[in-house]
Amino acid sequence: QVQLVESGGGLVQAGGSLRLSCAASGRTFSNYAMGWFRQAPGKEREFVAAFSGSGGGTYYADSVKGRFTISRDNAKNTVYLQMNSLKPEDTAIYYCAADHAYSGLGRRTTYWGQGTQVTVSS
C-alpha cells in the first residue's frame, strides 16, 4: 500500500524558513514524479514544485521560484521542500504527491499525503 507522510510544518514568522519532508513507502519512487501542492483556506489546491521523474527536471510555481527548493533522496524514498523567505501568503496545508508520470501529477492517478500545516505570521 502506498503511503506518503509529510512532516516539518509549523508556525514561522515572515522571512523565516521551514523544511518539509515527505517519506514515501509501499514501493520504490525513484522513477515517479513527485512534488508538493498546497491549499490555502477558501482556495483550490495549487501546484508548488515537483520533479518530473528519474533524471528529469524540476518545476516550480512562479510564486515560489527563488525561495523554495525541492530535493529528493532516493535511498530514503524521501522528498523535501526547503522554504525560505516565507510570506504570509504561503500559509496553507502542504501536500506531498506522487504519480507514475509528471503529466498525471495532481490528477486522478496521484497518490496524496495527509498534508502538513504551514502558517506564516506577518
Side-chain angles (χ1 to χ4, degrees):
Q1 182 179 357
V2 173
Q3 265 198 317
L4 303 175
V5 180
E6 302 99 333
S7 61
L11 173 64
V12 65
Q13 288 189 332
S17 299
L18 283 174
R19 188 176 83 151
L20 305 183
S21 299
C22 171
S25 62
R27 61 191 60 187
T28 301
F29 285 86
S30 57
N31 292 325
Y32 275 59
M34 294 191 71
W36 294 90
F37 289 71
R38 68 186 181 186
Q39 187 166 19
K43 295 188 177 181
E44 293 191 354
R45 190 175 298 187
E46 65 175 5
F47 170 79
V48 176
F51 287 101
S52 62
S54 178
T58 54
Y59 302 89
Y60 295 92
D62 287 343
S63 58
V64 307
K65 277 181 184 175
R67 300 188 299 121
F68 291 11
T69 303
I70 189 171
S71 61
R72 68 194 299 172
D73 184 337
N74 287 332
K76 294 182 179 180
N77 250 7
T78 300
V79 175
Y80 304 97
L81 186 68
Q82 178 66 43
M83 306 186 294
N84 298 329
S85 302
L86 283 161
K87 305 175 181 180
E89 52 263 43
D90 294 318
T91 295
I93 300 174
Y94 283 70
Y95 296 91
C96 180
D99 201 288
H100 302 89
Y102 181 72
S103 59
L105 197 63
R107 299 182 180 181
R108 183 178 54 85
T109 57
T110 293
Y111 299 104
W112 295 98
Q114 82 288 352
T116 185
Q117 176 71 47
V118 171
T119 303
V120 184
S121 63
S122 58

